[in-house]
Amino acid sequence: MADDETFCYRDGELYCEGAAAERIAEQYGTPCYVYSTALLRERFKRIRQAFAQWDTLVCFSVKSCANVSILKLLAQAGSGFDAVSGGELYRALVAGADPEKIVFAGVGKTAGEIEYALQEGILMFNVESRAELEAINEVADRLGVRARVAIRVNPDIDPRTHEKTTTGKGGTKFGIGIDEAEKLAGEAAGWSGVELRGIHIHLGSPIYSTEPYERALAKVVPLIERLRAAGCRIDRLNIGGGFCISYTGEATPPPQEYAAAVESYLEKSACAVIIIEPGRYIAGNAGMLLTRVIYRKETQFGKRFIICDAAMNDLVRPTLYGAFHRLWPARSEEGMPQVVLAEQEGFDGIPTELVDVVGPVCENGDFLARARALPRLEAGDLLAVFDAGAYGFSMSSNYNARPRAAEVLVDGPEHRLIRHRETYGDLVGPERQFM
Ligand code: LLP
């Protein structure tokens, strides 16, 4: 199934695979996240194939989309996982992940999390500071095991993405500078609890060109060579995630382009195993958020608002990063235009009006789209927010005491609930006993 056939209009109605959006919304209510099994599988397969010339372990980034049914589906397809907390590790294990395919990154791993990961026998830790490496060494010694680690290098490369999701630049909290990494590797060679096996980078997200990866690897590969010459057994190179997707319908580099760009570096690194950590590429386009219009509101100040039942607590990306998500009514005779741009004011042949699509949360920053050209919407209409599968539900919150949305997984014509809509009872569950 081609990407653009997964979420598409047939006879004026939006479908995810073989399931009509309107039926899903009626059955499970709104707001509701809807994911395509076919597209999740297809994207996993595609990125794995792009890197197939190496022995590549794909570690799906749990933070992008953490529902255990989705992790299970990917684990069954052969995926490993990139976790950044004990909670994410727990989710992956509950989903049936093979611990030998789990890598653990993050700048603040606690001793408890380190112990948990060691007991479960994960593949390796991506270490982000000297203090953390010491902590891992200590915990591993106490447990009588040896922890496999990769040093997460901060190569000081600008990935040219949003400032808040830039991680490979010097001055951010992530990773260890090349010089420090070399020094630390030398010292840690004598520590009994850790075994340095790899180098890790993750530059930022999303990265719309291959060039930052090339520039980073041009620094990292010589480091690997030097470490090896000094006696370290570096046999794993993890190039992180950041592989972009299209949010507008416009073309973006496919995974083969990233693989081709880094090919000579990966060869030169002579690492037996290559690790990649895609999140957005696998889950981003594979999920949409369905929301119903509650009210139209036209003001004397010349503004037109479409107020819907999804809000910033359900999808924070627009307000947090100024992110653009395509948005279109689930019933539309003309279907959705191929490309929808942020600055677009109308579409050929489709009458539109300029609106702000907002939620019920009490903040001016609560919006899903601003100044967006959309066909006229009325109360009760169903609206789809596309490409919300990554960093959508996983970043949602209970702000304004809003129960979090339901999640539904579609497989062909079938669909099933994979997370029930939270209840008011769920909201106070952890507090009630202390009243
Ligand atoms: N590996 C590490 C160590 C990461 O920190 C991340 C994402 C990934 C892999 C996966 O990156 P991806 O392939 O999904 O680009 N909330 C932001 C994105 C934050 C990304 C954080 N790290 C957003 O909504 O755009």
Side-chain angles (χ1 to χ4, degrees):
M1 186 178 272
D3 288 11
D4 52 5
E5 288 167 14
T6 308
F7 293 92
C8 69
Y9 287 82
R10 292 200 283 274
D11 299 326
E13 268 221 71
L14 175 62
Y15 280 78
C16 170
E17 299 192 29
E22 188 62 60
R23 293 298 91 67
I24 292 174
E26 275 162 18
Q27 184 163 343
Y28 308 104
T30 53
C32 165
Y33 275 90
V34 180
Y35 305 93
S36 156
T37 300
L39 195 50
L40 286 162
R41 286 206 181 111
E42 170 66 24
R43 287 299 182 88
F44 172 74
K45 203 170 89 194
R46 243 186 258 169
I47 199 156
R48 185 163 64 174
Q49 273 167 1
F51 285 84
Q53 58 179 302
W54 302 282
D55 182 359
T56 301
L57 175 62
V58 181
C59 288
F60 176 67
S61 192
V62 174
K63 68 175 80 63
S64 67
C65 182
N67 185 290
V68 289
S69 294
I70 290 175
L71 302 184
K72 181 177 172 194
L73 181 164
L74 291 170
Q76 284 171 345
S79 189
F81 296 95
D82 150 51
V84 292
S85 67
E88 286 194 351
L89 179 55
Y90 179 75
R91 280 185 170 276
L93 293 170
V94 165
D98 175 356
E100 276 284 329
K101 290 184 179 174
I102 298 179
V103 293
F104 192 173
V107 298
K109 301 174 194 79
T110 64
E113 288 175 316
I114 293 166
E115 181 167 344
Y116 176 36
L118 283 173
Q119 275 163 346
E120 295 295 340
I122 65 159
L123 180 66
M124 66 201 309
F125 293 88
N126 295 325
V127 174
E128 310 229 14
S129 65
R130 185 197 169 90
E132 183 200 332
L133 189 60
E134 286 170 358
I136 294 174
N137 184 53
E138 235 176 82
V139 177
D141 271 347
R142 179 159 52 76
L143 298 179
V145 296
R146 196 138 199 244
R148 290 173 296 248
V149 303
I151 291 184
R152 176 172 181 173
V153 166
N154 182 327
D156 193 16
I157 295 294
D158 186 355
R160 289 192 303 239
T161 187
H162 198 282
E163 182 268 329
K164 286 184 179 146
T165 59
T166 291
T167 52
K169 245 169 108 173
T172 64
K173 68 177 176 178
F174 300 95
I176 302 176
I178 300 249
D179 300 344
E180 296 166 88
E182 195 166 352
K183 196 162 150 256
L184 183 58
E187 288 173 45
W191 301 1
S192 55
V194 293
E195 181 191 7
L196 178 59
R197 291 289 293 275
I199 293 293
H200 172 234
I201 52 170
H202 171 71
L203 305 174
S205 170
I207 304 175
Y208 285 97
S209 86
T210 59
E211 185 249 11
Y213 293 87
E214 295 171 60
R215 286 201 293 141
L217 288 171
K219 292 185 174 182
V220 160
V221 172
L223 169 68
I224 292 175
E225 288 168 337
R226 290 198 299 277
L227 292 177
R228 221 177 257 138
C232 287
R233 182 182 160 205
I234 305 284
D235 58 357
R236 293 161 190 175
L237 174 54
N238 182 339
I239 64 169
F243 313 103
C244 72
I245 59 167
S246 179
Y247 281 101
T248 59
E250 291 195 313
T252 47
Q256 307 87 276
E257 225 169 289
Y258 292 95
V262 300
E263 180 174 356
S264 63
Y265 297 103
L266 298 193
E267 288 303 323
K268 213 160 161 242
S269 79
C271 283
V273 178
I274 302 299
I275 300 170
I276 55 174
E277 303 173 332
R280 190 186 315 266
Y281 177 76
I282 291 174
N285 299 130
M288 67 174 168
L289 171 62
L290 291 178
T291 177
R292 235 180 247 289
V293 177
I294 307 173
Y295 299 117
R296 279 180 68 87
K297 174 169 174 174
E298 295 184 27
T299 73
Q300 72 176 55
F301 309 105
K303 291 281 289 193
R304 208 176 273 132
F305 295 101
I306 301 299
I307 302 170
C308 30
D309 62 7
M312 65 186 282
N313 74 295
D314 299 297
L315 181 64
V316 77
R317 303 192 70 255
T319 190
L320 189 57
Y321 311 116
F324 178 89
H325 283 266
R326 289 183 293 179
L327 225 137
W328 206 252
R331 276 215 175 94
S332 166
E333 288 311 320
E334 304 85 357
M336 183 174 63
Q338 272 292 311
V339 176
V340 182
L341 300 173
E343 65 273 16
Q344 202 150 355
E345 289 221 351
F347 303 99
D348 290 347
I350 307 179
T352 57
E353 57 181 6
L354 223 49
V355 296
D356 282 12
V357 181
V358 302
V361 163
C362 298
E363 295 212 19
N364 190 31
D366 176 28
F367 60 89
L368 298 176
R370 273 185 165 161
R372 188 68 65 84
L374 287 176
R376 187 183 164 94
L377 288 159
E378 301 292 346
D381 285 349
L382 185 65
L383 205 53
V385 185
F386 293 95
D387 312 311
Y391 309 107
F393 186 88
S394 67
M395 293 182 81
S396 68
S397 77
N398 290 124
Y399 187 42
N400 276 209
R402 290 170 51 81
R404 272 180 296 177
E407 292 185 288
V408 171
L409 185 61
V410 174
D411 190 0
E414 323 260 284
H415 45 86
R416 66 186 180 92
L417 202 57
I418 54 171
R419 189 179 213 276
H420 69 73
R421 178 180 314 291
E422 286 178 353
T423 62
Y424 289 158
D426 291 333
L427 291 178
V428 296
E431 301 160 30
R432 188 170 250 155
Q433 70 188 103
F434 306 109
M435 264 172 67

